[in-house]
Amino acid sequence: MDCAVRSRPGVTLMENPRPVMAAAAHKPEAMLVGGTRPEAVKLAPVAEAMLTRGRMCPVLVASGQHESMFEQALDAFALRPNVRLRIERPTGSQPELLGELVRVLDRQLVQRNPSIVVVQGDTTTALATALTAFWRKVPVAHIEAGLRSHDLHAPFPEEANRKLLAQISSLHLAPTKRAVENLQAEGITGPNVVLTGNTVVDAVLSIAGRPMTYSDSRLAAVENRVRSKQNRLMLVTVHRRESWGQPLAGILAGLRNVLERHKDVEVVLPVHPNPDVRKQIMAGVSGVDRVHLTAPLNYIEFCRLLSIAQLVASDSGGVQEEAPSFGVPVLVLRDVTERMEAVEAGCSTLVGTDPRAIADHASRLLNKPPLLPENRPVNPFGDGLAAYRTEHAIASLLGLKSADSTAPPMLRTAAAGGE
Ligand code: UDP
């Protein structure tokens, strides 16, 4: 089988791209497995970097966890999966998903015999892949290693997945200095802990500014009103399991309150396909004036809206990491975040789910003029070279040399401990 292929030519994340090396022939295979939207966004730059450097053959495997959203996000990078796993999920439970994934992934590992397996984040897909690879003695590279909320039950089950992944991975690719320290505190140290930055910054920088047409004409109208300074945009996402029920009711009441206080604010809220989330959001804000509920947006559209928003409110991890690249402040709709770097850098505020707190913090930010680009805090999650560092670390682990194996520059941001 060939390496990952770009489905449209001329799309690349790195400057001075070298020709794409698509033939698998003699190259060690790196099997990149993902199943959700954030995994696609954060693995895509790594697949790109591998294709561009040409030292190994990236093979993209879609686990089927959130099939359509994984592929929708990959599409923004002109990538598509090489392998689509077929899993049975009659009940939809997490243990069932884990069991099924182990069953089908094991078959893939035996058939393909990759040199390394690459997983991202803290999903059931990442855990199942790493476990299967561990049992088959295939090394695991873990992207976005070291995030911790320090509460095993929040986020559930992700915090446990992160800790388990750290125990069985061979290479720990940490996005920030704090993530490195979290790993050290658990006894995971040494040269296989590498500070890379978060590949989401590479992703967002490569996608921002890409020409696009909105799939929903209401969004083009929102952008026109924002650009003509008629209205301001508050972009909102909510999907976390821990937000369902009472917390989400508080968030939706907070949004209604913001709209009552600020008549020039419009809310765009792409609704996560989970039926419980969807039902609650429809009941809470559907039909409210200046609220636009949409289907999940493709990544290019989402980045465009992020770039013109005055404010973002979200319980998403990825959105907390992306918004600082546009200087857009984030209200984190959770009681705890494993991304405190953004709070400390002044990029986001942890507001919880109380309606009053959400409305007060939103008003505080909406009443301030937006910061000029030169006064914005630097994105604490990376500098856009994380995928390049990741490729280099994996090549080093595998002992791959090439004429062009210069080490990438070290990450230097406040959160990385540089100047
Ligand atoms: N995102 C997207 N379309 C949307 C909403 C979000 O492409 O309609 C992207 C967003 O830019 C980020 C990722 O999805 O990169 C975050 O996914 P999610 O919030 O589902 O997961 P988390 O980051 O919390 O794990």
Side-chain angles (χ1 to χ4, degrees), residues 37-38 41 237 239-240 270 296-299 302 316-319 322:
R37 181 168 62 188
V41 168
T237 77
H239 74 286
R240 269 178 195 276
L297 300 173
N298 76 47
Y299 191 55
F302 190 81
S316 157
V319 175
E322 291 162 339

Side-chain angles (χ1 to χ4, degrees), residues 194-269:
V194 183
L195 176 62
T196 54
N198 199 312
T199 57
V200 78
V201 179
D202 308 27
V204 86
L205 294 179
S206 78
I207 294 295
R210 189 79 63 81
M212 49 82 66
T213 312
Y214 286 110
S215 52
D216 183 329
S217 59
R218 290 175 304 162
L219 299 178
V222 170
E223 177 164 345
N224 283 338
R225 287 190 291 274
V226 169
R227 291 212 184 270
S228 62
K229 303 208 181 315
Q230 196 182 327
N231 277 344
R232 296 182 292 168
L233 170 62
M234 179 169 174
L235 184 60
V236 181
T237 77
V238 267
H239 74 286
R240 269 178 195 276
R241 198 173 289 264
E242 75 213 46
S243 305
W244 301 356
Q246 193 51 43
L248 184 51
I251 291 169
L252 298 172
L255 291 182
R256 291 194 300 268
N257 203 331
V258 175
L259 289 161
E260 276 159 26
R261 292 191 199 180
H262 302 273
K263 300 292 180 201
D264 66 337
V265 168
E266 300 189 42
V267 166
V268 171
L269 198 173

Side-chain angles (χ1 to χ4, degrees), residues 45 76 148 152 175 225 244 270 320 362 412:
R148 295 290 181 271
L152 204 51
R225 287 190 291 274
W244 301 356
Q320 289 173 61
R412 301 182 88 77

Side-chain angles (χ1 to χ4, degrees), residues 170-407:
S170 301
L171 184 60
H172 312 266
L173 301 151
T176 62
K177 185 166 170 264
R178 176 172 310 209
V180 171
E181 289 164 357
N182 286 336
L183 290 166
Q184 285 168 345
E186 293 171 13
I188 297 160
T189 56
N192 289 341
V193 177
V194 183
L195 176 62
T196 54
N198 199 312
T199 57
V200 78
V201 179
D202 308 27
V204 86
L205 294 179
S206 78
I207 294 295
R210 189 79 63 81
M212 49 82 66
T213 312
Y214 286 110
S215 52
D216 183 329
S217 59
R218 290 175 304 162
L219 299 178
V222 170
E223 177 164 345
N224 283 338
R225 287 190 291 274
V226 169
R227 291 212 184 270
S228 62
K229 303 208 181 315
Q230 196 182 327
N231 277 344
R232 296 182 292 168
L233 170 62
M234 179 169 174
L235 184 60
V236 181
T237 77
V238 267
H239 74 286
R240 269 178 195 276
R241 198 173 289 264
E242 75 213 46
S243 305
W244 301 356
Q246 193 51 43
L248 184 51
I251 291 169
L252 298 172
L255 291 182
R256 291 194 300 268
N257 203 331
V258 175
L259 289 161
E260 276 159 26
R261 292 191 199 180
H262 302 273
K263 300 292 180 201
D264 66 337
V265 168
E266 300 189 42
V267 166
V268 171
L269 198 173
V271 184
H272 196 274
N274 178 286
D276 294 332
V277 177
R278 193 181 163 73
K279 200 166 144 201
Q280 206 182 344
I281 291 178
M282 296 307 284
V285 286
S286 165
V288 172
D289 199 22
R290 287 173 282 124
V291 173
H292 312 284
L293 301 180
T294 71
L297 300 173
N298 76 47
Y299 191 55
I300 306 179
E301 291 179 284
F302 190 81
C303 288
R304 173 72 155 258
L305 288 174
L306 201 50
S307 72
I308 61 165
Q310 173 102 16
L311 180 61
V312 176
S314 180
D315 64 2
S316 157
V319 175
Q320 289 173 61
E321 295 155 346
E322 291 162 339
S325 288
F326 301 108
V328 181
V330 183
L331 298 181
V332 182
L333 303 170
R334 296 175 61 194
D335 296 325
V336 59
T337 178
E338 46 294 273
R339 292 166 174 90
M340 281 305 288
E341 294 89 341
V343 176
E344 286 157 9
C347 302
S348 58
T349 313
L350 196 54
V351 294
T353 57
D354 174 65
R356 179 76 189 268
I358 293 170
D360 287 351
H361 281 288
S363 292
R364 175 178 58 78
L365 291 165
L366 287 165
N367 291 336
K368 279 202 312 204
L371 287 177
L372 294 168
E374 57 272 28
N375 297 334
R376 290 175 188 165
V378 170
N379 189 330
F381 297 106
D383 58 0
L385 293 175
Y388 186 38
R389 295 187 188 98
T390 298
E391 190 276 345
H392 191 80
I394 294 174
S396 301
L397 186 85
L398 296 180
L400 302 178
K401 298 254 182 314
S402 76
D404 180 20
S405 59
T406 333

Side-chain angles (χ1 to χ4, degrees), residues 26-96:
H26 48 281
K27 290 180 192 161
E29 175 174 319
M31 191 164 131
L32 280 61
V33 187
T36 63
R37 181 168 62 188
E39 286 166 280
V41 168
K42 292 171 176 179
L43 286 171
V46 177
E48 282 277 0
M50 288 177 174
L51 286 169
T52 304
R53 300 297 304 258
R55 295 192 268 194
M56 55 193 118
C57 170
V59 167
L60 276 165
V61 177
S63 76
Q65 185 171 345
H66 291 163
E67 203 169 355
S68 60
M69 293 220 288
F70 183 76
E71 296 219 18
Q72 183 192 41
L74 273 189
D75 189 55
F77 302 87
L79 289 168
R80 54 174 173 251
N82 301 73
V83 178
R84 293 178 176 89
L85 302 179
R86 293 282 159 245
I87 51 172
E88 304 285 332
R89 298 185 68 184
T91 70
S93 75
Q94 295 294 308
E96 171 187 77

